[in-house]
Amino acid sequence: MASRWWRWLRGCSWRPAARRPGPGSPGLAGPPGPPAAADAHAQVHRWKGLDLSQIPYINLVKHLTSACPNVYSISRFHHTTPDSKTHSGEKYTDPFKLGWRDLKGLYEDIRKELLISTSELKEMSEYYFDGKGKAFRPIIVALMARACNIHHNNSRHVQASQRTIALIAEMIHTASLVHDDVIDDASSRRGKHTVNKIWGEKKAVLAGDLILSAASIALARIGNTTVISILTQVIEDLVRGEFLQLGSKENENERFAHYLEKTFKKTASLIANSCKAVSVLGCPDPVVHEIAYQYGKNVGIAFQLIDDVLDFTSCSDQMGKPTSADLKLGLATGPVLFACQQFPEMNAMIMRRFSLPGDVDRARQYVLQSDGVQQTTYLAQQYCHEAIREISKLRPSPERDALIQLSEIVLTRDK
């Protein structure tokens, strides 16, 4: 279901990044009108494959704000309806139902991996494996496994080792949530109290470590050294991503590249490498491995960009955690970085990580009065375009088409 910001966005037109009156600021006229949308799309594709740190930040903004002068539906690039025919001609209901076909008993099986004798540690470790999460990562992994198997030899079965990768992906993700909540001193997650608020920070760190160790044991049991190497990279990326988040860049050109690198390491690496792992297990072709990796990377980045948008546009009840949380943590996400181009006074707030009284509220007002939300959403759309371009290289199948539809769901989700 489209969120409130999505319904609002459908009635908006894209505008150049003109400065508008902010809190206590006079209004100024904007720059000249945008070039043709086709030219802008070509420009976006040119910079997407490059090192963003080498691209002037203002040019990146211009590319995004000049594209699609009338975007009435971000998802117009792909439309399917429930219970519709896929590109392969076969019917399915929706990606989640299709993915769950191979994930029945997911959380029960994860809890079996957590072989713990101490009752308190067991309760802490199983706390988030209550079946109330989106299971977005396991769904993608299961669908990718089938899509790659069908592409390789038309096999309609998911190997036990591929299903284990789905479990491992969810375990690594959950362990990272437990650790992130400790670092952020978060009090709520998925609509309930966090592990650190109930049991304390020290015990929460240990619970996260235990989940990671159980995931590592399950990974070793698969016995494929290539897959082990692929997924251990995820844990390194998670740590490096957290370090990137703790820092900030004074140079505006470097700042956006820093943000996207952090986004990849903290969110997209897990999805990308999990997709690659199941492709390695199901198909010997390195070209397929790269397709799976690129799909996961692009969808993962888009997922986090929309998450950063929702931090400004959704209410706490929808998100299951407080909104404006990133600003309160001193983080400058996509909407803030884009808004900064219209309101340069935000630079000082970014560098002091919104630490002065009133900074968070003022920054939020600037973002909502700017085009930061729309520009970040459009950037997410471009990553989803790329994901679809990659996955469309595989042989047609219901699972391949479900992965295409998941890209649309990433853009239109409201929590």
Side-chain angles (χ1 to χ4, degrees), residues 23 311-312 322-331 336 346 349-350 352-368:
D311 196 45
F312 288 95
T323 52
S324 296
D326 292 329
L327 287 175
K328 292 169 186 174
L329 292 170
L331 304 179
V336 173
M346 292 182 71
M349 288 190 279
I350 290 172
R352 63 176 177 256
R353 299 178 74 87
F354 313 104
S355 58
L356 294 184
D359 275 359
V360 169
D361 289 337
R362 284 178 60 217
R364 180 177 174 82
Q365 289 180 54
Y366 280 131
V367 168
L368 296 178

Side-chain angles (χ1 to χ4, degrees), residues 21-79:
S25 303
L28 297 175
D39 292 340
H41 278 295
Q43 290 171 328
V44 168
H45 285 296
R46 279 199 291 274
W47 63 254
K48 267 178 65 57
L50 301 174
D51 179 0
L52 290 174
S53 64
Q54 303 303 312
I55 300 174
Y57 183 79
I58 187 65
N59 288 349
L60 175 63
V61 175
K62 286 178 180 177
H63 287 318
L64 296 178
T65 55
S66 63
C68 294
N70 255 322
V71 177
Y72 294 108
S73 173
I74 281 178
S75 60
R76 65 163 58 181
F77 64 90
H78 178 69
H79 278 293

